[in-house]
Amino acid sequence: MRWPGCAGRNRAAAANCGARCSDSWPIGSNRTWHRGETIMTVQIRPAAPSDAEACGHIIYEAFQGIAARHGFPPDFPAAEAGIELARRLTTNPSVFGVVAEEEGRVVGSNFLSEADAIRGVGPITVDPTAQGAGIGRQLMQAVLDHANGATGIRLLQDAFNMRSIALYASIGFEVREPVLVMTGRPAGKPTADVTVRPMREHDLDACDALSRQVHGISRHGELVEALRSLTPLVAERAGRIAAYMTAPTFWIANHGVAESEAGMTDLLLLGAVAAHSEPLSFLLPIRQTGLFRWCLEHGMQTVKPMTLMSIGEYRAPVGTYMPSVFY
């Protein structure tokens, strides 16, 4: 299976994309655009750790700008948080990144998580002063070209961002799930025979088996990453893993699955205790109506709507789950 251009897509994606799909632009090539009366030349090249500060500022400003225009809180409290995320992404060997440069100045970036067979796109951002000139399309096409042969590709986008959802749909992504960012400290009494503890290396196979049971795919690579750099938790019942989540207080990187809705609510209740003073935060696909109502009844709040989209292989989850922004 190949991704670049219409000819390289699978038939379903090509049918959805049709003539709207642009030719691919090789990394390192230049593309000329008109911004008003100004002609701008943009080069797409691989991201480097030295780009982290510029990328981080743009990540913060781009997401803050679109959120403010629609009355939502920013994803990052300050530019430093965006810079730290960009630093992690540009130094992670399992993440492919590209930047857009205009006259030597970074004006955008995009990243592709490659730890597992299903790839995850994002964050993709363009400097607010350079938006509307096709740079986002170039950045997206660059990671799709790089993902040539991948089983599938997924992303999460802000549901209020009409420009991004139109872009992703035009290049072949399909809407899969409506999602809400949830936050809070749920209060209640968990099941008596469940314990929640930090995930350990010997839990990896059991957690990945649970992911396969729910999603039909492995997330072993992402679990290894979480164990190394995040604070993942597992819920254990009768000596087996009943649920896990990878970043309880950081929804951007927090994915989780459970063998049942009760397993997930136990994890949330006891996870809130383990998180001490910080609120839990995660992405909730809201067609899980029972879990959604449980969250509201137990004091959690909705933050903003998002949309899960994909190209390539996708199997609807069978069980209780939460995606990260990487899918």
Side-chain angles (χ1 to χ4, degrees), residues 199-209 220 223-224 227:
M199 184 187 294
R200 304 187 182 102
E201 188 172 357
H202 69 258
D203 298 319
L204 289 173
D205 288 344
C207 290
D208 192 46
H220 189 272
L223 289 168
V224 171
L227 198 59

Side-chain angles (χ1 to χ4, degrees), residues 66-311:
I66 188 71
R69 289 197 297 275
H70 291 84
F72 291 98
D75 290 346
F76 303 95
E80 288 72 20
I83 293 169
E84 177 58 27
L85 176 60
R87 186 172 291 117
R88 288 190 181 195
L89 292 169
T90 56
T91 58
N92 188 331
S94 68
V95 174
F96 171 74
V98 291
V99 298
E101 268 190 338
E102 178 193 2
E103 298 181 351
R105 179 177 71 98
V106 172
V107 293
S109 62
N110 194 12
F111 298 92
L112 182 75
S113 299
E114 301 184 288
D116 295 304
I118 300 296
R119 308 298 199 235
V121 175
I124 174 172
T125 50
V126 176
D127 187 320
T129 65
Q131 291 176 4
I135 296 172
R137 181 176 289 271
Q138 288 189 70
L139 289 167
M140 183 60 73
Q141 191 65 53
V143 299
L144 293 182
D145 290 351
H146 181 80
N148 178 17
T151 302
I153 308 172
R154 301 181 189 179
L155 60 80
L156 272 288
Q157 68 90 223
D158 287 329
F160 50 81
N161 189 335
M162 297 298 99
R163 179 177 290 174
S164 73
I165 197 168
L167 168 62
Y168 304 150
S170 74
I171 56 179
F173 281 89
E174 298 182 28
V175 171
R176 297 300 184 181
E177 292 287 344
V179 178
L180 287 176
V181 179
M182 305 293 298
T183 188
R185 294 180 56 81
K189 187 175 182 179
T191 306
D193 62 345
V194 173
T195 58
V196 167
R197 58 170 175 79
M199 184 187 294
R200 304 187 182 102
E201 188 172 357
H202 69 258
D203 298 319
L204 289 173
D205 288 344
C207 290
D208 192 46
L210 190 54
S211 174
R212 290 176 181 272
Q213 176 183 322
V214 173
H215 289 291
I217 57 173
S218 171
R219 298 191 75 163
H220 189 272
E222 191 171 354
L223 289 168
V224 171
E225 293 282 341
L227 198 59
R228 185 173 68 234
S229 59
L230 301 172
T231 56
L233 297 176
V234 298
E236 198 170 36
R237 175 185 287 114
R240 74 177 190 281
I241 303 298
Y244 75 80
M245 57 181 169
T246 55
T249 61
F250 184 49
W251 62 267
I252 289 173
N254 189 15
H255 92 263
V257 293
E259 60 184 12
S260 67
E261 184 178 303
M264 185 64 80
T265 57
D266 285 336
L267 178 59
L268 293 173
L269 288 169
L270 292 169
V273 174
H276 304 295
S277 60
E278 291 188 74
L280 299 182
S281 63
F282 56 90
L283 287 159
L284 177 63
I286 56 174
R287 292 200 299 169
Q288 298 176 109
T289 54
L291 182 57
F292 183 30
R293 291 194 184 105
W294 181 93
C295 289
L296 297 175
E297 290 166 359
H298 287 76
M300 301 203 73
Q301 297 180 325
T302 60
V303 178
K304 68 172 182 176
M306 300 191 77
T307 310
L308 173 63
M309 305 181 76
S310 74
I311 285 176

